[in-house]
């Protein structure tokens, strides 16, 4: 047995206000209008948890001068970290516990990294400025009235 549904595809919704009015019209309930912004935020959060597409891939060069270097503002998930050079040198991913166990207090050329509280932690911490190429998944930009 097969079931066929006739589903029409709406036109593009360019920004937040037409989305809210389209969802409100679809629900046909005026008691949920004040909750639409929360529903949209929840949907955006779900998209950022579930979707990984080529359009979300980003690369950035960061200057690391100390043990911890902050993530970019749109950072969602890591793909790879390399020390820029000729050739580029990939850094080994380690857990925060393994990083601490392997750290002897010296500085030098980083060989490993860990993701800790919004930062990339390098071990050993760089003795000079190090250029890191960060390949990562960027969060989907939230909808706005613009």
């Amino acid at each position: 047995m097969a079931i066929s549904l006739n589903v029409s595809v709406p036109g593009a919704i360019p920004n937040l206000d037409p989305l809210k009015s389209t969802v409100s019209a679809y629900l046909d309930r005026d008691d949920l209008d004040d909750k639409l912004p929360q529903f949209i935020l929840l949907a955006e959060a779900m998209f950022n948890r579930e979707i990984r597409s080529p359009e979300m891939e980003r690369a950035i060069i960061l200057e690391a001068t100390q043990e911890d270097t902050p993530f970019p503002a749109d950072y969602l998930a890591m793909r790879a970290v390399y020390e820029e050079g000729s050739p580029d040198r990939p850094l080994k991913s380690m857990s925060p516990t393994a990083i601490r166990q392997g750290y002897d207090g010296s500085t030098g050329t980083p060989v490993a990294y860990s993701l800790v509280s919004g930062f990339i932690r390098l071990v050993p911490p760089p003795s000079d400025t190090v250029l890191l190429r960060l390949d990562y998944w960027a969060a989907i930009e939230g909808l706005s009235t613009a």
Side-chain angles (χ1 to χ4, degrees), residues 4 6 12 22 46 58-60 67-68 71 73 77 86-87 90 97-99 111 115 122 139 141 143 146:
S4 176
N6 183 10
T22 300
M46 184 186 77
R58 299 284 185 279
I60 189 171
E67 182 179 30
D68 291 339
F71 293 146
S86 186
T97 303
I99 288 277
V111 295
L115 307 179
L122 301 174
E141 186 177 344
L143 293 174

Side-chain angles (χ1 to χ4, degrees), residues 64 66-69 78 81-83 89-103 108-116 119-126 130 132:
Q66 53 193 5
E67 182 179 30
D68 291 339
T69 303
M78 183 68 67
V81 178
Y82 300 88
E83 180 183 351
R89 197 171 48 80
L91 300 181
K92 181 180 175 186
S93 175
M94 297 178 77
S95 73
T97 303
I99 288 277
R100 285 290 173 218
Q101 289 172 346
Y103 178 57
T109 301
V111 295
Y113 74 95
S114 184
L115 307 179
V116 180
F119 292 90
I120 301 165
R121 179 161 293 156
L122 301 174
V123 169
V130 173
L132 298 177

Side-chain angles (χ1 to χ4, degrees), residues 30-116:
D30 61 358
D31 61 330
L32 294 176
D33 285 348
D34 62 335
K35 302 242 186 278
L36 289 179
Q38 289 88 358
F39 293 157
I40 292 168
L41 286 173
L42 289 170
E44 290 172 345
M46 184 186 77
F47 298 156
N48 280 320
R49 282 191 311 272
E50 302 291 329
I51 297 173
R52 297 293 180 268
S53 71
E55 292 85 3
M56 297 171 71
E57 294 176 20
R58 299 284 185 279
I60 189 171
I61 304 296
L62 300 174
E63 284 189 10
T65 57
Q66 53 193 5
E67 182 179 30
D68 291 339
T69 303
F71 293 146
D74 63 349
Y75 174 87
L76 186 60
M78 183 68 67
R79 299 191 67 222
V81 178
Y82 300 88
E83 180 183 351
E84 278 286 294
S86 186
D88 289 346
R89 197 171 48 80
L91 300 181
K92 181 180 175 186
S93 175
M94 297 178 77
S95 73
T97 303
I99 288 277
R100 285 290 173 218
Q101 289 172 346
Y103 178 57
D104 64 2
S106 64
T107 61
T109 301
V111 295
Y113 74 95
S114 184
L115 307 179
V116 180

